[in-house]
Amino acid sequence: MAVLVIADHDNASLKDNTNKTVTAALALSGDVDVLVAGQGAKGVADAAAKIAGVRKVLLAESDALGQGLAEAVTAVVLPLMAGYDAVLTPATSQGKNFSPRIAAKLDVSQISEIVEVVDANTFVRPIYAGNALETVQSSDPKKVITVRATAFKAAGEGGSAAVESIGAGDGAPKTKFVDQQLVKSARPELTAAKIVVSGGRAMGSAEEFQRVIEPLADKLGAAVGASRAAVDAGYAPNDYQVGQTGKVVAPELYVAIGISGAIQHLAGMKDSKVIVAINKDGDAPIFQVADYGLVADYKSAVPELMDALTAAGK
Amino acid sequence: MKVLVPVKRVIDYNVKARVKPDQSGVDLANVKMSMNPFCEIAVEEAVRQKEKGVATEVVAVSIGPIQAQETLRTALAMGADRAILIQTDQDPEPLAVAKLLQAIIAEESPDVVIMGKQAIDGDNNATGQMLAALLDWPQATFANAIELSAGSAKVAREVDGGIQTLDVALPAIITADLRLNEPRYASLPNIMKAKKKPLDIKEAATLGVDLTPRLKVVKVTEPAKRGGGIKVESAADLVTNLKTAGVL
């Protein structure tokens, strides 16, 4: 059996989610190829070729692929599927957009956001905001799978696969790309960061969120996250949202500040290795999952934490 | 412009799902059920498009047991004009749901379908994209803002790192993200009025779609619980503990 992994990238660099998805793919088969669909993405393909265990890298380039349009990606992948038994995509907003389209075109069910490969037909995936884990066995001839990347270790480097250019397909004739506004940040990416500092509704304003959360994140070299409540209130941009309906993170250290711990937030961070919660309400549900809880007002606790980190040489 | 809005009856957003002791699934007996929150956002958006004079008719569709009529009545109370229940006691997978919706779309010929991006039970985030594929329509998922005009829709989408804006030709599928709008509460007079709005019931079997599941659920288990943590006294204590744990 051969497996295709669709790379996660921004046309300039390959994202670590790809390496993690390759690990999941290698649990299915030793014959793993990577598709880089983008524009001006030769560097991404070269990086993918270095992932240990990758047999071959396919590079398809067009404007519509560079914009990540679902119709365009689907058009490239469908003809390739004659040669593959499964296609795996990291469950990013990008992957979630096109993968089900591929599945329906192949007349198969998608197996969404797997966290474990049991065997070539059997997978584990969270349902109900991570309150249950479902083990499913697929009877479809081809598997279309999205992978919750945080559940898999990243495949290392050391490969030397060949890069092969392939056709770019028909694009997305019914869709026009208007524009894209991405926030540029010097901080690590939320889903790949080793440390995440998140703020909640207690911040009270966007200014306060920036004043409190961002310096602490920078001191720790951390990514910044937020609860849904904080995002809904406009204190933080939407792509900061950690939770069932936002990003799922599993860093070494997750610091939740002024976050009560709604089910939907816990679903996005409860697999973190160490969880710290700072909240003035000692009964907040976040303390039930926290390894270290500090019952205190963030207004005094965060400055004290900054000082303690400085004292500790951070 | 005619808007079709598929809605799903799911466990209420505020209820914690409990796994059955025999690992056959999640216990839904005597649990409060409601309209999936993302579907509420989709209904709200369709109704607002009608209030703006852009949409002329809003049709809500649900696939599920007879009780899903309640979910449709909620959509009608929010402002949908009429509703269709595709009745089945099975729990069809997203692919089968998309095929049932495709059959309804063949009868209804909407100009646009606005639906939730994800149901909070299966967490698949797949039905809208699958429906777009089956119909060969363009898709604009995870919508944060929608501008409908004759023949096209301009949709701002939530993507990793920011917002992407697309212009898709109609008919198209649009899936709603959290921040598209804040759904209204239906007023009592509107709830009363909704009881008189038309609600058709069709048997799923009459639509000629194979509902056989492709995925067999082997078991449903509870995730591993986190071990109990400790409360620390101060920020300095916290840093000491984190150093000992090796995460600083």
Side-chain angles (χ1 to χ4, degrees), chain A:
Chain A
M1 114 177 241
V3 178
L4 184 65
V5 168
I6 304 180
D8 177 29
H9 65 89
D10 58 6
N11 296 310
S13 60
L14 182 73
K15 301 288 170 70
D16 190 47
N17 286 329
T18 312
N19 302 56
K20 291 171 173 169
T21 303
V22 165
T23 299
L26 287 168
L28 285 172
S29 163
D31 296 328
V32 174
D33 296 348
V34 174
L35 169 67
V36 175
Q39 177 65 304
K42 179 69 168 55
V44 175
D46 290 340
K50 295 199 182 84
I51 301 175
V54 171
R55 184 177 70 169
K56 182 166 74 176
V57 175
L58 304 172
L59 174 62
E61 294 187 282
S62 74
D63 286 344
L65 292 172
Q67 293 150 357
L69 302 183
E71 296 84 338
V73 178
T74 305
V76 169
V77 174
L78 283 179
L80 296 176
M81 289 310 293
Y84 296 97
D85 305 290
V87 54
L88 274 65
T89 306
T92 59
S93 68
Q94 177 87 301
K96 289 176 187 176
N97 184 36
F98 63 71
S99 183
R101 192 168 179 113
I102 296 170
K105 287 283 187 194
L106 293 170
D107 192 33
V108 304
S109 263
Q110 172 173 279
I111 309 157
S112 305
E113 294 221 22
I114 63 163
V115 294
E116 188 187 333
V117 175
V118 177
D119 62 42
N121 298 308
T122 314
F123 308 90
V124 180
R125 55 179 301 266
I127 53 174
Y128 290 89
N131 284 306
L133 291 171
E134 180 183 59
T135 303
V136 292
Q137 192 170 43
S138 167
S139 57
D140 281 319
K142 292 189 192 289
K143 319 291 182 228
V144 176
I145 296 169
T146 60
V147 176
R148 180 169 287 187
T150 53
F152 296 88
K153 284 198 164 50
E157 292 207 340
S160 56
V163 177
E164 183 185 312
S165 282
I166 60 165
D170 295 335
K174 294 174 188 167
T175 299
K176 270 194 296 230
F177 175 84
V178 180
D179 64 15
Q180 184 146 292
Q181 288 177 349
L182 300 184
V183 181
K184 293 265 171 263
S185 171
R187 298 194 186 95
E189 204 211 339
L190 189 51
T191 57
K194 290 207 156 47
I195 304 181
V196 173
V197 178
S198 283
R201 183 159 43 193
M203 300 300 115
S205 71
E207 295 72 33
E208 184 73 351
F209 190 95
Q210 282 164 16
R211 193 186 68 77
V212 173
I213 302 299
E214 299 194 354
L216 178 58
D218 290 341
K219 196 164 190 69
L220 290 166
V224 176
S227 69
R228 177 180 166 187
V231 173
D232 281 354
Y235 306 162
N238 63 56
D239 60 310
Y240 280 26
Q241 188 190 322
V242 171
Q244 177 190 20
T245 55
K247 298 220 167 86
V248 177
V249 300
E252 298 280 303
L253 173 61
Y254 187 89
V255 184
I257 298 173
I259 291 178
S260 62
I263 294 173
Q264 94 92 25
H265 185 74
L266 301 183
M269 45 65 83
K270 66 182 173 52
D271 294 326
S272 305
K273 191 168 157 223
V274 171
I275 296 173
V276 168
I278 299 176
N279 199 306
K280 67 179 173 187
D281 175 9
D283 295 326
I286 190 78
F287 288 118
Q288 290 165 18
V289 300
D291 299 286
Y292 304 104
L294 177 58
V295 181
D297 190 335
Y298 77 84
K299 285 184 177 131
S300 52
V302 172
E304 282 165 27
L305 179 56
M306 295 282 280
D307 291 344
L309 287 167
T310 307
K314 278 278 160 186

Side-chain angles (χ1 to χ4, degrees), chain B:
Chain B
M1 184 179 294
K2 182 171 176 179
V3 184
L4 190 88
V5 186
V7 296
K8 185 173 186 186
R9 177 181 184 263
V10 297
I11 188 168
D12 186 81
Y13 192 75
N14 293 308
V15 175
K16 189 175 188 291
R18 308 250 170 230
V19 172
K20 287 187 202 168
D22 68 357
Q23 301 195 335
S24 63
V26 164
D27 195 354
L28 295 176
N30 305 313
V31 166
K32 186 182 177 203
M33 304 292 277
S34 299
M35 188 190 295
N36 180 46
F38 290 99
C39 302
E40 276 189 320
I41 295 170
V43 173
E44 175 67 31
E45 188 63 23
V47 171
R48 287 190 193 185
Q49 296 290 346
K50 193 179 171 200
E51 288 167 348
K52 277 197 274 185
V54 179
T56 48
E57 188 184 22
V58 176
V59 182
V61 185
S62 192
I63 296 161
I66 197 75
Q67 294 90 332
Q69 283 183 95
E70 296 160 20
T71 313
L72 288 167
R73 291 286 173 206
T74 305
L76 294 169
M78 289 174 72
D81 297 293
R82 60 188 175 88
I84 303 167
L85 172 63
I86 305 171
Q87 196 190 335
T88 172
D89 288 326
Q90 292 187 52
D91 183 14
E93 290 171 4
L95 181 64
V97 170
K99 288 178 178 178
L100 290 167
L101 291 173
Q102 183 186 20
I104 292 296
I105 285 166
E107 293 173 10
E108 293 284 337
S109 310
D111 299 285
V112 63
V113 175
I114 304 177
M115 56 199 287
K117 73 164 182 181
Q118 175 177 351
I120 61 163
D121 49 4
D123 280 338
N124 279 294
N125 192 334
T127 304
Q129 296 90 315
M130 289 183 154
L131 180 58
L134 296 175
L135 294 161
D136 241 329
W137 289 4
Q139 66 185 54
T141 52
F142 322 147
N144 175 291
I146 301 172
E147 262 177 67
L148 292 175
S149 50
S152 73
K154 193 169 160 188
V155 181
R157 309 177 52 236
E158 293 194 6
V159 296
D160 291 337
I163 297 283
Q164 180 188 64
T165 305
L166 300 179
D167 203 314
V168 292
L170 298 183
I173 307 290
I174 301 173
T175 73
D177 214 319
L178 276 177
R179 278 160 288 274
L180 180 57
N181 58 49
E182 261 187 60
R184 70 194 68 192
Y185 290 101
S187 66
L188 189 59
N190 285 340
I191 292 171
M192 299 311 287
K193 253 199 286 187
K195 294 189 175 166
K196 298 203 179 82
K197 289 184 178 176
L199 194 165
D200 287 345
I201 300 178
K202 289 176 194 288
E203 279 289 332
T206 62
L207 292 171
V209 172
D210 180 7
L211 301 184
T212 313
R214 311 291 185 83
L215 301 177
K216 180 180 142 202
V217 177
V218 179
K219 62 178 177 179
V220 174
T221 55
E222 263 188 63
K225 286 215 168 45
R226 290 189 73 92
I230 58 164
K231 290 264 169 71
V232 294
E233 291 304 316
S234 68
D237 247 12
L238 178 58
V239 170
T240 310
N241 274 294
L242 292 178
K243 287 200 108 163
T244 311
V247 289
L248 276 187

